[in-house]
Amino acid sequence: MTTTAAPRPTGARSTPPNRDYFELSERAKAAGLMGRRVGTYMVRTASLALAFLGATAAMFALGSSPWQLAIGGVFGILFTQAAFLAHDSAHQQVFASGRRNEWFSRIVGNLVVGLSLAWWTRKHNKHHAHPNTIGKDGDIAGGVLVFVPGDEKGRTGFMGWLAKRQGWAFIPMLSLFAFVLHFEAISSVVKNRKMKHRVAEGLLVAIRLIGFPALAVAAMGPLWALAFLGVQFAVFGIYMGGSFAPNHKGMALLPEDLEVDYLRRQVLTSRNITGGRPMDWAMGGLNLQVEHHLFPRMPSSNLRKVRPLVKEFCAEKNIPYTETDLVTSYGIIIRYLNRVGLGYADPMDCPIVSQLRTGAPVRAA
């Protein structure tokens, strides 16, 4: 892992913390990186549509064949790529019109992927507002896995056994992530009577979750369809969950009562994944998590362009900027989860948090 932060140049003017983000955003605007890239997104959409058509044609051409398991894996990848597209649109990155972004995301997310836009938006907005903040970020809330030290207390039986080994169980458990996303979509539509466009959301999700399995049965019969769907669910869950996990897991956790300005809150809790443009495609731009959290409405294709500006600015302000490769990030996550599950008192003992509490200059940990 590399964490880059340089001392403030001698004689540099001290900018109040609440002005830092404004200064950085002005640099990004001056570089012309905040504008929409509709053409780029339409090419992505058309390419993805053609890939879905090709995979569907192959599914029907193969019939009852073991090769259908490979096609199931292909669909798992395509659904994840579609989720990346829905994610960007939900962040208002595609069109200038908020309404167009919303409906584009709803159609791609609900109809193609089988998610609920309303549920995801509510959850994801809270995460962006308070990343890795205890009590505010639902992504680190207690569940099957324990992300916050102390939450493992009181777990007995199987759950206690699992907590002590949760780091090793993390990646295998991601294979169930697709079930969680589909369940939350159904649950939200059924229970949330105040959901915006509830009927449309429910109809789109129902078409996807009933229609796609029916299509598989028609193409290959019930037994091969079951195996096909099992592979598709596992690949989708691991790929989808595995693209989000490296971005914050194992990074600094912020206490709920800690006051931190927007710039530092986003940078200190986010981790970039190296790998260049191939990784940009593989992770849908989520590998540039620091830049995405700073500029959630910036088109993902511009994140790599703004990265040098962000790194330079963080060096000027002596703010740690963290990036590492994908394999190393998972090593960090596994070790962190195991330490939390074993009840270590200080698995997230972070000098950064202590410095933020005292108001001392933030330095690389």
Side-chain angles (χ1 to χ4, degrees):
M1 178 177 67
T2 60
T3 303
T4 304
R8 191 190 309 277
T10 304
R13 181 174 59 88
S14 177
T15 305
N18 62 351
R19 294 279 300 173
D20 288 344
Y21 178 70
F22 176 77
E23 183 180 342
L24 176 60
S25 63
E26 287 300 302
R27 295 187 189 184
K29 290 176 184 177
L33 299 175
M34 296 303 296
R36 300 296 183 267
R37 298 285 297 273
V38 179
T40 300
Y41 279 108
M42 291 305 100
V43 170
R44 280 180 61 181
T45 303
S47 300
L48 193 57
L50 289 174
F52 269 112
L53 288 174
T56 303
M59 182 172 69
F60 276 91
L62 288 170
S64 298
S65 166
W67 286 104
Q68 292 287 10
L69 301 182
I71 302 300
V74 170
F75 270 103
I77 293 171
L78 294 179
F79 284 133
T80 305
Q81 286 291 326
F84 293 154
L85 198 58
H87 166 271
D88 286 8
S89 186
H91 273 293
Q92 308 292 307
Q93 295 178 17
V94 180
F95 304 103
S97 166
R99 186 172 182 274
R100 288 183 180 180
N101 278 305
E102 178 185 330
W103 276 103
F104 184 78
S105 184
R106 182 172 288 115
I107 291 170
V108 176
N110 290 50
L111 180 61
V112 179
V113 186
L115 309 179
S116 166
L117 173 65
W119 168 79
W120 182 87
T121 300
R122 182 175 63 255
K123 178 178 182 294
H124 199 61
N125 285 351
K126 290 181 179 179
H127 162 69
H128 266 267
H130 301 283
N132 269 24
T133 303
I134 299 171
K136 292 184 178 181
D137 184 359
D139 286 0
I140 58 171
V144 177
L145 300 178
V146 184
F147 295 104
V148 179
D151 286 357
E152 81 288 347
K153 296 178 180 178
R155 296 200 173 201
T156 58
F158 174 75
M159 295 305 292
W161 178 89
L162 178 62
K164 292 179 174 62
R165 300 161 179 83
Q166 63 175 359
W168 304 117
F170 178 64
I171 294 178
M173 287 183 66
L174 287 178
S175 63
L176 304 176
F177 189 51
F179 290 95
V180 174
L181 294 176
H182 294 326
F183 172 80
E184 291 292 352
I186 297 170
S187 179
S188 297
V189 170
V190 171
K191 295 180 180 180
N192 187 0
R193 297 182 180 276
K194 295 182 179 180
M195 176 185 288
K196 186 178 180 181
H197 300 294
R198 184 187 182 202
V199 174
E201 290 239 356
L203 181 62
L204 293 173
V205 168
I207 292 172
R208 161 63 176 84
L209 297 184
I210 297 173
F212 185 69
L215 200 67
V217 171
M220 64 194 78
L223 293 180
W224 278 114
L226 188 63
F228 164 89
L229 291 171
V231 173
Q232 179 263 299
F233 269 73
V235 172
F236 174 49
I238 292 173
Y239 186 12
M240 179 79 164
S243 296
F244 281 87
N247 305 325
H248 302 282
K249 300 298 183 287
M251 291 296 290
L253 295 181
L254 303 181
E256 186 174 4
D257 61 346
L258 182 63
E259 293 294 331
V260 187
D261 67 284
Y262 179 82
L263 174 67
R264 287 164 180 79
R265 181 179 295 276
Q266 304 302 330
V267 176
L268 296 177
T269 59
S270 301
R271 176 195 297 117
N272 277 7
I273 302 300
T274 59
R277 294 193 180 279
M279 192 62 70
D280 293 353
W281 176 86
M283 295 184 67
L286 297 175
N287 53 308
L288 297 166
Q289 192 69 187
V290 174
E291 288 73 21
H292 170 57
H293 261 255
L294 288 172
F295 306 107
R297 293 195 175 194
M298 178 180 288
S300 57
S301 57
N302 283 350
L303 294 177
R304 183 157 296 280
K305 297 176 182 178
V306 82
R307 176 173 168 269
L309 297 180
V310 174
K311 289 191 69 173
E312 179 184 20
F313 191 82
C314 287
E316 290 176 10
K317 302 298 179 180
N318 202 27
I319 303 172
Y321 177 101
T322 303
E323 57 184 358
T324 188
D325 63 86
L326 188 63
V327 174
T328 300
S329 74
Y330 272 101
I332 294 170
I333 294 169
I334 291 170
R335 289 192 298 272
Y336 172 79
L337 288 174
N338 279 336
R339 286 174 63 85
V340 172
L342 288 169
Y344 277 64
D346 62 346
M348 41 69 77
D349 183 15
C350 181
I352 293 174
V353 175
S354 299
Q355 291 169 35
L356 286 170
R357 282 197 181 280
T358 61
V362 176
R363 299 186 181 278

